[in-house]
Amino acid sequence: MLRYSLKRALSLLISLAVASLVIFAVIEIAPGDPASFMLGVNAQPDTLAALRTELGLDQSKAERYVSWITGMLRGDFGTSYTYRTPVSQMIADRMWVSLPLALYALALSTAIAFPAGIYAASRRGKVGDLTVMSATQLGVAIPNFWFAMMLVLVFAINLRWFNAGGFSGWDKGLVAGLHSLTLPAIALALPQAAILARVMRSALLDILGEDFMRTARAKGLSRRQALWRHGLRNALIPVLTIIGLQFSFLLAGSIIIEQVFYLPGLGRLVFQSISSRDLIVVESVVMLLVFAVITVNFLVDLAYAAVDPRLRSRT
């Protein structure tokens, strides 16, 4: 297991190094100069040059890349061009919204998908299976931003159970914070739950056709007992893959939902920074999100090896 983990850790480091180069290159070649954007088109050349020097934009791209990487390794993400505050502080403030939102949505998605997928697999071809599959097909087809607006219309405007947007803050208590994140979490969770439920059903049905499941049935276990005792564990590998990918998506891809609900999260920060050409913020936040995605995939690989020891001997 240790050898397997070390190989996966090396792969993680290589992926991060390549990702940092790609992120820096793509963002740096984007048109527009941050200093010109901040001072306007009528800025004097000497004033523009002084600001570029202050921001470090007069350095070569190689120097700026090395400075950016070494700074992140020390925990220094630089200073925002627009707000003139440490990027690390901006990220930390927004992370306390985006990370709980992603975890809340993932918990809801898993809590819905697991029972639905197991129920559908245990009743293959029956009314319950067809009902669950129809519901999941609808969940996959509905765009989450449209669903988010419908949630606002029904539960915020008509019923007034929730606020239409904004975040109350954790200083007002855990209940108040989760209450503010409930509608966004539901908007993110239900489409993901539909995907996860279909994967769970498919994985369980594949397992039910295996020889060891027929042996369990021959020993006297009912279909449901064999599914719970032997099938569920063996069906977890593809499900873990989807859960890992979903968490990465929920953390890095919730920019539209954060816009709909006016949440001060990482997605909204990236959107605002792109609009203002605050490159150092965009680079640092995107790199952090890439790190989160790759780390989650690394943890999923380790979970694979824990669930199925045969994978350790194949590497």
Side-chain angles (χ1 to χ4, degrees):
M1 185 65 181
L2 178 60
R3 183 181 177 185
Y4 180 86
S5 301
L6 291 175
K7 287 185 176 181
R8 288 294 178 266
L10 178 60
S11 176
L12 180 148
L13 293 176
I14 295 173
S15 298
L16 287 175
V18 173
S20 68
L21 285 169
V22 173
I23 291 169
F24 186 83
V26 169
I27 293 177
E28 288 297 325
I29 65 175
D33 178 40
S36 300
F37 184 89
M38 293 171 65
L39 294 178
V41 295
N42 297 321
Q44 296 297 321
D46 55 342
T47 305
L48 184 62
L51 181 59
R52 287 181 58 82
T53 301
E54 180 185 352
L55 298 178
L57 298 175
D58 58 335
Q59 299 177 343
S60 67
K61 286 182 170 53
E63 291 175 328
R64 288 163 58 188
Y65 173 76
V66 172
S67 176
W68 174 55
I69 290 297
T70 55
M72 284 197 299
L73 292 176
R74 299 192 307 267
D76 180 11
F77 291 83
T79 302
S80 168
Y81 298 159
T82 304
Y83 300 101
R84 310 305 295 158
T85 57
V87 177
S88 58
Q89 184 61 49
M90 297 174 65
I91 291 175
D93 293 340
R94 304 301 182 101
M95 184 66 78
W96 282 105
V97 177
S98 292
L99 183 58
L101 175 60
L103 292 173
Y104 192 3
L106 185 65
L108 290 176
S109 173
T110 305
I112 295 170
F114 269 54
I118 295 171
Y119 176 83
S122 63
R123 289 163 174 77
R124 181 180 184 181
K126 298 181 181 179
V127 175
D129 180 24
L130 296 176
T131 301
V132 171
M133 287 300 97
S134 298
T136 58
Q137 186 64 43
L138 184 62
V140 171
I142 295 177
N144 59 4
F145 68 88
W146 179 87
F147 184 54
M149 291 187 288
M150 293 301 100
L151 289 176
V152 170
L153 180 63
V154 174
F155 294 102
I157 297 177
N158 292 338
L159 299 177
R160 299 183 182 276
W161 290 356
F162 299 90
N163 293 328
F167 180 63
S168 63
W170 297 111
D171 55 332
K172 294 185 179 180
L174 179 63
V175 174
L178 291 178
H179 187 268
S180 300
L181 296 179
T182 296
L183 288 186
I186 293 174
L188 287 169
L190 286 187
Q192 302 305 313
I195 297 172
L196 187 58
R198 297 179 72 88
V199 172
M200 171 64 81
R201 174 187 178 274
S202 178
L204 284 174
L205 291 179
D206 289 341
I207 292 297
L208 287 175
E210 295 291 337
D211 291 339
F212 71 89
M213 292 295 290
R214 287 193 287 267
T215 301
R217 292 292 305 279
K219 290 182 177 180
L221 294 181
S222 67
R223 181 185 177 91
R224 185 172 301 179
Q225 289 174 329
L227 186 149
W228 279 99
R229 294 185 186 182
H230 304 287
L232 188 58
R233 175 184 174 89
N234 290 278
L236 283 179
I237 290 182
V239 175
L240 287 174
T241 303
I242 298 301
I243 290 178
L245 293 174
Q246 285 187 344
F247 177 74
S248 302
F249 167 78
L250 293 171
L251 182 61
S254 59
I255 180 172
I256 297 178
I257 298 301
E258 289 183 3
Q259 288 292 111
V260 172
F261 290 97
Y262 297 99
L263 294 176
L266 289 176
R268 190 168 175 81
L269 176 61
V270 170
F271 179 81
Q272 293 170 338
S273 300
I274 292 173
S275 302
S276 60
R277 293 291 297 162
D278 203 341
L279 299 184
I280 188 67
V281 176
V282 178
E283 290 170 351
S284 298
V285 174
V286 173
M287 188 64 206
L288 180 65
L289 294 176
V290 168
F291 173 77
V293 171
I294 295 176
T295 302
V296 167
N297 289 335
F298 169 71
L299 296 176
V300 169
D301 285 341
L302 296 185
Y304 282 172
V307 172
D308 189 354
R310 294 173 298 177
L311 294 175
R312 305 173 201 167
S313 60
R314 298 176 186 173
T315 59

